[in-house]
Amino acid sequence: MESVPDLQNSMYLVVDGYPCVRLLNLTGEIGCSNPGRDKIVAPVVRFKNVNKKTQPSAILVSSDEIQDFFGRLSNDSSFAAKVSGVLVESGTANLNNLEGFSPDKKFPQAEFSPYQSNNYKWNPIGSGILWEAYDFPVFLLSESSTLTLQEAAAKNEKTKTGYTADVAEFDLVMQTTKVETRDSESCLNELSCLPLGGYSVWSSLPPINLSSSDQSKPHILTVASMDSASFFRDKNLGADSPISGLIALLAAVDALSHVNDLDNLSKQLVFLVFTGEAWGYLGSRRFLHELDLQSDAVRGLNSSLIEMVMEIGSVGKGHNQGANTFFTHTTEVSTATNKTLDALKSAQESLKTESINILSADASNPGIPPSSMMAFLKKDSLTSGVVLEEFDRGFTNRFYHSHLDDISNVNSSSIVAAASLIARSLYILANNKTVSSSALSTVNVNSSLVEELMSCLLSCDPGMSCELVKKYISVSNTCPSHYVGVISGEPSSTPDNAYVDSVSRFIWNFLADKTSVTMEKPSSACAPDCVNNGGVCIKEETDGKGVCVTSTTRYVPSYSTRLKYEADKWTVLPPNSSDPMGMVDPVWTESNWEVIGLRVYTKQDASYDHLVLVAGILVTFFSYIAIVITRQVITKASKRD
């Protein structure tokens, strides 16, 4: 060893993991944090062996024990007193024994529902632990770190002397805990947190001619979400719910972009990808608010021209017994809704060789399932809409809003089938005339693109370093995460790339490219007047030059309608009776922190240290006595001589 850092590296092993962090709302807190300002140090013990221990421990929990652990935590106070921290193992070895794991509620975000059936169980397996507050740290371990902690727990079990133990050191001190700000309003005032939010994206096909005086084309909105939720902040893929729907939307846009004569469509196709939907429908609510304000972020759109809203929900698990089956959940009966259902049936018939089934959701359902459509209905109860889902009466995704909802939980053929239905039905709806089967057969989804999008957005290999993403943007983190994150700086319809997460930037570039038309004077690089001439600059991150194309693609800030940014600070606005969803908006924020860390090392028991200290003192004392006696003997002997 040549230095102090080398010595530290040999003594302390830094552990890779994904933390559960502290979130706040107007009434309190959820999530996890160290209970005070200090690190937590505790011996590593397997969950099944906790009863043998008397001291607080770092509990090692396997994937199939999570539900049991949190259930016992809430029902057994003596057990809860033994928990200093929690370490959750990665890996799928035990998942076959797991009925399912969803930390969300049985009716997610029921407070935003346009109907009064809050006891309905859309998510029957939901435990609700995501919405509880825990005053101890919780980490999900990486696969390599799982092995390390398993070895530490096994070593502690075998150690009989008790003089040493392998311990976990948790550094999960939240700023809101430090300064005692326990709700969103107080932490925003003290600058110890930031609001949840980000940037949604919308695009039109074909581009909207903003200089034209005739802006009367009815709008058909196709909606999907790009954010999910999870107990662990950065382990948040949401493969089935909702990213399968996002991939289906992107594939449908690609299919429609290859169709000729899009300018002759009688209706305007508009595609929206919202973020923040898992946390109070932040994206859809903010979009509708910007529509009311007629802000630059939604320039070219008019709420009075919205004829139909079609939402693509969870569609990654529709494949079953050789066929792909989807269910249509509708708003109140209307001409536009009926036309949409007819278009979906026609699209299905045109794809008869693909074994796709379209069924109406059970009439006994209380209404539409949890979705962005709820925001539209709360805004206008007469909104015509259809939500396409893989389920009828309840979620079929047994890992809804869980870190286990990964790429293994979805099927590419199901996403391709959903994208095909959406693309062809939109083409039918956008035409006033009857569409021939030959014309419809030109609308084809690229299955290879779907698989590529899955590998980019739902895995770490290649993840966001895939060729498709690198074609548009540069990224620093290859592993995707679909947590909404926080919004920092002043919200803008033209934000700096530094304030926009990589998934939003990719979607913006992808949609701008696919919905673009060639400019009259095409340029290989973006000139300063690109935007002034109705263009947008795509692929700018990859080479610093970019390509100027004509496309109506915009960012829309996504954050609570109860928040206002002024003088470099966020403030909470009073509730407004004209905004019914704002009245129940929790106003979610995320605590700041200085550092988050987890490491493992061997530590001697304090009682052993005390024993060594006492022994040392005794040795010193008796040595001193021996020296005194020896000196006296030598002195006497010297005098006799």
Side-chain angles (χ1 to χ4, degrees):
M1 295 186 190
E2 300 178 353
S3 64
V4 173
D6 288 341
L7 178 61
Q8 287 181 326
N9 290 336
S10 67
M11 292 175 62
Y12 302 101
L13 179 62
V14 176
V15 176
D16 295 327
Y18 308 91
C20 159
V21 300
R22 178 69 81 215
L23 300 181
L24 305 94
N25 57 32
L26 292 177
T27 58
E29 304 169 309
I30 67 169
C32 315
S33 171
N34 283 17
R37 299 165 177 256
D38 302 319
K39 298 176 182 178
I40 297 293
V41 178
V44 181
V45 178
R46 293 180 188 273
F47 175 43
K48 63 181 180 181
N49 294 328
V50 174
N51 289 339
K52 303 175 184 177
K53 301 294 179 180
T54 56
Q55 67 186 117
S57 305
I59 315 298
L60 183 62
V61 182
S62 64
S63 296
D64 61 338
E65 293 174 330
I66 301 176
Q67 205 88 288
D68 292 338
F69 171 83
F70 282 101
R72 186 174 173 188
L73 188 72
S74 59
N75 297 320
D76 186 345
S77 58
S78 62
F79 169 75
K82 297 178 181 179
V83 180
S84 285
V86 182
L87 301 161
V88 180
E89 298 177 356
S90 285
T92 58
N94 298 317
L95 292 186
N96 291 332
N97 302 324
L98 189 62
E99 180 184 354
F101 173 64
S102 172
D104 210 333
K105 297 177 182 177
K106 296 186 184 300
F107 190 149
Q109 306 195 88
E111 63 270 29
F112 295 102
S113 171
Y115 50 85
Q116 296 300 317
S117 290
N118 293 358
N119 293 326
Y120 189 81
K121 297 178 182 179
W122 286 108
N123 183 30
I125 207 163
S127 63
I129 64 170
L130 178 64
W131 307 99
E132 301 294 332
Y134 303 97
D135 287 326
F136 51 77
V138 183
F139 279 79
L140 172 68
L141 302 170
S142 67
E143 291 195 17
S144 59
S145 296
T146 294
L147 295 175
T148 301
L149 270 299
Q150 287 174 340
E151 290 172 3
K155 182 179 174 183
N156 287 342
E157 289 168 17
K158 293 177 182 177
T159 302
K160 303 298 183 182
T161 61
Y163 292 153
T164 63
D166 280 16
V167 298
E169 179 188 86
F170 300 89
D171 190 355
L172 192 67
V173 180
M174 297 285 108
Q175 188 66 24
T176 51
T177 304
K178 278 186 174 182
V179 298
E180 293 292 326
T181 50
R182 302 291 185 174
D183 60 74
S184 287
E185 189 161 16
S186 62
C187 74
L188 288 172
N189 287 336
E190 294 296 325
L191 305 180
S192 61
C193 66
L194 284 171
L196 293 193
Y199 284 90
S200 302
V201 180
W202 73 271
S203 187
S204 65
L205 185 69
I208 298 171
N209 185 356
L210 299 176
S211 61
S212 172
S213 58
D214 182 17
Q215 299 287 344
S216 58
K217 271 190 179 182
H219 301 340
I220 298 176
L221 272 56
T222 306
V223 176
S225 299
M226 71 170 89
D227 78 292
S228 185
S230 167
F231 195 82
F232 304 100
R233 183 189 193 275
D234 300 314
K235 190 65 171 177
N236 199 338
L237 289 173
D240 187 36
S241 307
I243 303 303
S244 63
L246 166 63
I247 293 174
L249 181 145
L250 297 178
V253 172
D254 174 70
L256 289 166
S257 71
H258 294 97
V259 176
N260 296 323
D261 301 324
L262 289 174
D263 287 327
N264 296 329
L265 296 177
S266 59
K267 296 173 184 177
Q268 183 67 56
L269 296 177
V270 179
F271 299 92
L272 298 109
V273 182
F274 294 130
T275 190
E277 297 302 272
W279 300 95
Y281 302 112
L282 297 177
S284 51
R285 287 171 49 218
R286 174 55 59 176
F287 170 78
L288 291 169
H289 183 66
E290 297 294 322
L291 269 182
D292 286 345
L293 298 176
Q294 277 298 289
S295 69
D296 287 342
V298 292
R299 187 172 171 228
L301 300 180
N302 190 323
S303 57
S304 65
L305 293 176
I306 297 176
E307 181 179 280
M308 181 68 200
V309 181
M310 183 184 294
E311 182 167 358
I312 315 173
S314 303
V315 293
K317 297 174 71 65
H319 189 78
N320 187 29
Q321 296 181 346
N324 292 292
T325 302
F326 303 100
F327 295 86
T328 54
H329 300 256
T330 61
T331 59
E332 294 297 324
V333 175
S334 68
T335 302
T337 302
N338 289 335
K339 284 183 178 179
T340 302
L341 294 176
D342 291 341
L344 283 166
K345 282 292 184 184
S346 297
Q348 176 201 4
E349 290 170 4
S350 73
L351 295 162
K352 53 189 175 184
T353 59
E354 306 296 325
S355 299
I356 301 174
N357 300 319
I358 287 281
L359 302 173
S360 296
D362 197 308
S364 65
N365 288 355
I368 59 170
S371 57
S372 302
M373 192 72 73
M374 288 186 167
F376 285 88
L377 286 176
K378 275 283 192 176
K379 183 71 176 177
D380 181 0
S381 61
L382 298 179
T383 300
S384 297
V386 172
V387 183
L388 188 70
E389 300 278 10
E390 66 199 9
F391 60 84
D392 182 4
R393 301 202 45 137
F395 299 166
T396 53
N397 181 5
R398 62 194 183 112
F399 301 125
Y400 180 80
H401 281 179
S402 157
H403 65 283
L404 299 172
D405 187 8
D406 58 21
I407 194 168
S408 66
N409 198 37
V410 292
N411 186 294
S412 63
S413 67
S414 181
I415 298 175
V416 170
S420 300
L421 281 173
I422 293 295
R424 292 195 176 189
S425 60
L426 287 175
Y427 186 65
I428 294 169
L429 289 169
N431 280 279
N432 255 345
K433 58 188 179 185
T434 302
V435 179
S436 66
S437 57
S438 59
L440 208 53
S441 65
T442 64
V443 184
N444 293 302
V445 167
N446 183 347
S447 60
S448 296
L449 173 63
V450 169
E451 291 176 359
E452 189 173 11
L453 285 166
M454 288 174 64
S455 67
C456 297
L457 299 175
L458 297 178
S459 70
C460 291
D461 184 19
M464 297 296 283
S465 64
C466 68
E467 292 302 318
L468 179 61
V469 172
K470 289 196 297 185
K471 175 183 174 183
Y472 294 109
I473 65 171
S474 60
V475 296
S476 57
N477 190 355
T478 59
C479 284
S481 177
H482 302 298
Y483 173 63
V484 61
V486 295
I487 187 164
S488 56
E490 184 171 10
S492 169
S493 60
T494 55
D496 187 281
N497 283 338
Y499 294 112
V500 186
D501 71 62
S502 56
V503 175
S504 291
R505 299 198 322 274
F506 165 67
I507 292 170
W508 184 92
N509 277 272
F510 181 93
L511 290 179
D513 184 21
K514 297 299 180 181
T515 62
S516 66
V517 296
T518 306
M519 302 193 75
E520 292 182 5
K521 297 180 180 179
S523 172
S524 59
C526 293
D529 61 350
C530 172
V531 176
N532 296 333
N533 292 331
V536 295
C537 190
I538 63 173
K539 306 180 183 179
E540 190 175 14
E541 292 181 49
T542 58
D543 60 5
K545 298 177 181 179
V547 179
C548 189
V549 298
T550 299
S551 175
T552 312
T553 303
R554 303 280 185 269
Y555 285 117
V556 184
S558 171
Y559 59 98
S560 171
T561 55
R562 290 281 306 278
L563 290 174
K564 182 179 181 181
Y565 186 85
E566 58 183 356
D568 297 326
K569 189 175 181 180
W570 291 96
T571 55
V572 178
L573 300 172
N576 186 340
S577 59
S578 65
D579 178 14
M581 293 188 94
M583 296 284 286
V584 295
D585 187 351
V587 187
W588 290 109
T589 56
E590 179 186 85
S591 175
N592 300 334
W593 59 79
E594 293 180 3
V595 65
I596 289 178
L598 175 64
R599 60 183 187 172
V600 177
Y601 55 91
T602 302
K603 181 184 178 184
Q604 286 188 157
D605 186 82
S607 60
Y608 182 69
D609 291 340
H610 295 155
L611 179 62
V612 172
L613 176 62
V614 170
I617 293 172
L618 289 174
V619 169
T620 303
F621 175 75
F622 286 116
S623 297
Y624 175 75
I625 297 298
I627 291 170
V628 171
I629 293 172
T630 302
R631 287 180 64 182
Q632 288 176 347
V633 170
I634 293 172
T635 301
K636 289 180 181 179
S638 298
K639 288 180 179 180
R640 282 198 296 269
D641 292 343

